[in-house]
Amino acid sequence: LVLAINEEQLRMLEGEYLLEGKAIKIAFEKGSLSLTIPQQPTYLLVPISASEFLLKGLSGYKASFEKVGAEEKLIIKQPNGTFIAIRK
């Protein structure tokens, strides 16, 4: 199931998130979000809800966004664990 999410909602997620000292970049281009981790390829994020995305081409990988108070989190779930990055 792939959902259409409006550009304004996607642009609100754009930015840098810190994970163990590494900056993960979420970028909006050509109507979609992408995720870039240093020394790795850029992955297209495919929406499955307003805040959850699959990483295109990677089975078992999911990215989700949460806001708790003033803190914004990027949560990456993958086969070897769950990793949480905090928005800069």
Side-chain angles (χ1 to χ4, degrees):
L1 175 68
V2 176
L3 298 178
I5 300 176
N6 73 47
E7 181 177 330
E8 185 179 333
Q9 285 177 290
L10 293 174
R11 285 193 181 276
M12 289 175 60
L13 303 173
E14 195 174 25
E16 286 196 343
Y17 297 77
L18 285 179
L19 174 66
E20 299 171 0
K22 294 180 184 172
I24 298 173
K25 184 177 180 183
I26 301 296
F28 179 86
E29 57 184 84
K30 299 178 186 168
S32 300
L33 288 177
S34 63
L35 178 147
T36 305
I37 298 172
Q39 287 94 43
Q40 291 192 29
T42 295
Y43 298 100
L44 184 66
L45 297 180
V46 179
I48 55 173
S49 79
S51 62
E52 281 190 301
F53 299 79
L54 299 176
L55 278 70
K56 188 173 184 175
L58 289 180
S59 180
Y61 287 73
K62 189 186 297 185
S64 59
F65 297 85
E66 280 185 16
K67 187 169 184 176
V68 181
E71 190 172 70
E72 295 180 52
K73 298 178 181 179
L74 165 62
I75 301 161
I76 301 171
K77 293 182 181 176
Q78 54 190 62
N80 65 329
T82 299
F83 301 89
I84 300 173
I86 307 298
R87 189 173 196 152
K88 285 174 93 172

